[in-house]
Amino acid sequence: QVHLQESGPGLVKPSETLSLTCAVSGYSISSGHYWGWIRQPPGQGLEWIGGIYQSGSTSYNPSLKSRVTISVDTSKNQFSLHLSSVTATDAAVYYCARTVGTGHPVDYWGPGTLVTVSS
Amino acid sequence: SYELTQPPSVSVSPGQTASISCSGDKLGDEYASWYQQKPGQSPVVVIYQHTKRPSGIPERFSGSNSGNTATLTISGTQSMDEADYYCQAWDSSTVIFGGGTKLTVL
């Protein structure tokens, strides 16, 4: 069974960089699939942030592209999100997730981690 | 940018059929998936590739597609089905979510 777990600070100051890591167990990232980050502001809908293939190829939501970097560490079987210059509008539950890729659903989700933006 | 449009809310009586629509220009060419999200929980896929149901998802959940509109249907709706539902499709390598529909079982 594939298991994903997000970790990182729950509080980030405005203008700083939000950094989260997703540890994957039960499946080797090196084996394939597309690994992504999705966020959900309190009381709002889901927003795709971006994703990365095991090869390191990335794709980002155009609305966030200038501030987002997603990377993968196959040796630790984890991938990471960095979102720079955060503001209050970046406060959300952040989920890491897995999908086969285009045309396929997001089949595994982490439990999510709440990130608050405040000084 | 590509958008998926869902009704904000749908109400249904227990035992009746609930239908949630999702419209988008590319749904005629791209598969839709549907997710159920209950409060405080991560989303769970209930339908993928328009009509397929993952193992463990009750048979009362079904999906269809006609032109640019995908539809999630819940037959014999139960109180446990009260949740937010999101449709999802792909735009190249980007995942697109609909705005979500709150299903209320009255």
Side-chain angles (χ1 to χ4, degrees):
Chain A
Q1 180 73 348
V2 180
H3 182 72
L4 292 84
Q5 181 67 56
E6 307 88 354
S7 63
L11 179 63
V12 181
K13 292 182 169 58
S15 80
E16 296 191 343
T17 295
L18 179 162
S19 296
L20 297 174
T21 296
C22 181
V24 179
S25 58
Y27 187 87
S28 172
I29 287 180
S30 298
S31 297
H33 284 75
Y34 189 42
W35 306 88
W37 290 94
I38 296 160
R39 71 180 183 178
Q40 185 172 35
Q44 298 185 39
L46 302 167
E47 180 180 34
W48 174 260
I49 298 170
I52 187 166
Y53 289 97
Q54 85 284 0
S55 64
S57 173
T58 56
S59 180
Y60 301 132
N61 185 325
S63 68
L64 298 169
K65 187 174 183 178
S66 63
R67 299 194 290 129
V68 174
T69 302
I70 296 175
S71 59
V72 64
D73 186 339
T74 54
S75 67
K76 294 182 178 179
N77 214 39
Q78 64 186 32
F79 60 104
S80 298
L81 167 70
H82 299 281
L83 179 66
S84 64
S85 305
V86 300
T87 68
T89 59
D90 295 310
V93 174
Y94 284 75
Y95 297 98
C96 60
R98 187 194 85 162
T99 173
V100 170
T102 302
H104 295 267
V106 177
D107 54 1
Y108 287 98
W109 299 68
T113 186
L114 177 63
V115 177
T116 301
V117 179
S118 175
S119 54
Chain B
S1 63
Y2 180 41
E3 294 184 353
L4 297 174
T5 302
Q6 301 179 233
S9 62
V10 169
S11 297
V12 64
S13 299
Q16 298 304 303
T17 297
S19 295
I20 301 173
S21 62
C22 172
S23 62
D25 289 344
K26 299 185 181 181
L27 285 181
D29 301 314
E30 296 289 339
Y31 283 127
S33 296
W34 290 92
Y35 302 85
Q36 177 193 69
Q37 186 181 34
K38 296 182 178 180
Q41 297 183 18
S42 303
V44 173
V45 57
V46 294
I47 294 291
Y48 67 101
Q49 293 180 351
H50 286 329
T51 62
K52 297 178 181 178
R53 191 175 56 248
S55 60
I57 300 301
E59 291 185 8
R60 64 180 180 274
F61 288 88
S62 64
S64 63
N65 185 64
S66 178
N68 292 333
T69 300
T71 302
L72 172 69
T73 301
I74 309 172
S75 304
T77 306
Q78 300 182 11
S79 57
M80 68 174 66
D81 300 328
E82 186 163 288
D84 294 326
Y85 290 85
Y86 295 90
C87 62
Q88 175 258 312
W90 286 83
D91 181 9
S92 186
S93 294
T94 298
V95 171
I96 307 295
F97 289 104
T101 298
K102 181 175 183 60
L103 177 67
T104 301
V105 182
L106 298 171

